[in-house]
Amino acid sequence: MITGERIRRLRKLRGLTQKALGVSVGFSETNADIRIAQYEKGTRVPRDELTEKLAAVLGVSPAFLQVPDIDDPVSVIHTLFALEDMYGLEINTSDGNIILRLRNDFENTELRVALIEWLNKSLLLRGGEISREEYDDWRCNFTGAKNWRV
C-alpha cells in the first residue's frame, strides 16, 4: 500500500485532484478519479508504464513510487533478509538499540556510495543546513549516479 500512500501524498502536495492526476496520465475524464482512487487505496497496483507517467506528472523518480511491500512486519523482515543475502546487511545491538549495518567487506560500492550520499543529506537536515522540504525533494528524485566512486 505504500505506493498508493506516496501517490496520494504527492498528489496533494502538488495540489492535484484525483481527476486531474488521472487525466494527466491518460485516463478518460469519466473514470480518472476512480482509477487514481484505486491506486491510492492499494486495490490496484500501477504497471511500470503507468508508474513512469505518474512519476513524470508528480515530478519524482519512478523508483520513489516502486517500493516493496512493507505494510506488515513479516514483509519488512523478509526484505531485510534479502538485503542480508544480497548486500551483507548485519543486525546487532548497541546500548539497547537495534543496529542495521553493512559489513566492512561489503562489495557493492554503488550501494555503499548511495548510502553515504543519503547519510550526508541526512546530516545536512539534522544540522539545519537544508530544510525538510529540500531533503524530501532529494529523496523523491534520487535515482543514483552512473559514475559513483567510493
Side-chain angles (χ1 to χ4, degrees):
M1 173 86 148
I2 196 160
T3 297
E5 291 168 2
R6 287 181 171 207
I7 292 169
R8 180 176 37 254
R9 184 167 58 104
L10 288 167
R11 176 183 58 76
K12 288 181 176 185
L13 185 68
R14 304 294 189 251
L16 296 169
T17 64
Q18 289 177 330
K19 183 178 284 285
L21 177 58
V23 169
S24 294
V25 297
F27 297 138
S28 71
E29 274 210 39
T30 56
N31 70 354
D33 53 342
I34 295 167
R35 292 288 300 273
I36 295 300
Q38 290 172 332
Y39 293 115
E40 289 182 358
K41 289 178 184 173
T43 56
R44 295 183 77 147
V45 177
R47 294 182 186 208
D48 290 345
E49 183 180 323
L50 178 57
T51 299
E52 296 276 340
K53 290 177 182 178
L54 287 165
V57 171
L58 296 169
V60 298
S61 163
F64 183 76
L65 298 176
Q66 297 170 321
V67 179
D69 177 16
I70 57 171
D71 284 342
D72 72 311
V74 173
S75 293
V76 172
I77 291 297
H78 281 283
T79 299
L80 293 171
F81 291 161
L83 292 170
E84 177 183 39
D85 294 341
M86 295 175 65
Y87 299 108
L89 185 70
E90 291 182 337
I91 187 168
N92 215 321
T93 61
S94 176
D95 298 323
N97 295 307
I98 295 174
I99 306 294
L100 299 174
R101 71 180 188 111
L102 296 177
R103 290 189 318 262
N104 284 336
D105 65 346
F106 176 66
E107 294 181 13
N108 189 320
T109 58
E110 195 171 296
L111 180 58
R112 179 179 289 283
V113 172
L115 290 169
I116 291 168
E117 188 174 339
W118 178 21
L119 172 63
N120 290 335
K121 287 290 183 185
S122 179
L123 291 172
L124 291 173
L125 173 66
R126 286 184 260 166
E129 297 176 56
I130 62 173
S131 68
R132 182 66 199 201
E133 184 177 303
E134 290 170 310
Y135 178 73
D136 286 345
D137 186 57
W138 173 82
R139 291 185 328 142
C140 289
N141 290 292
F142 183 81
T143 59
K146 299 226 186 280
N147 298 311
W148 279 338
R149 288 192 174 75
V150 179

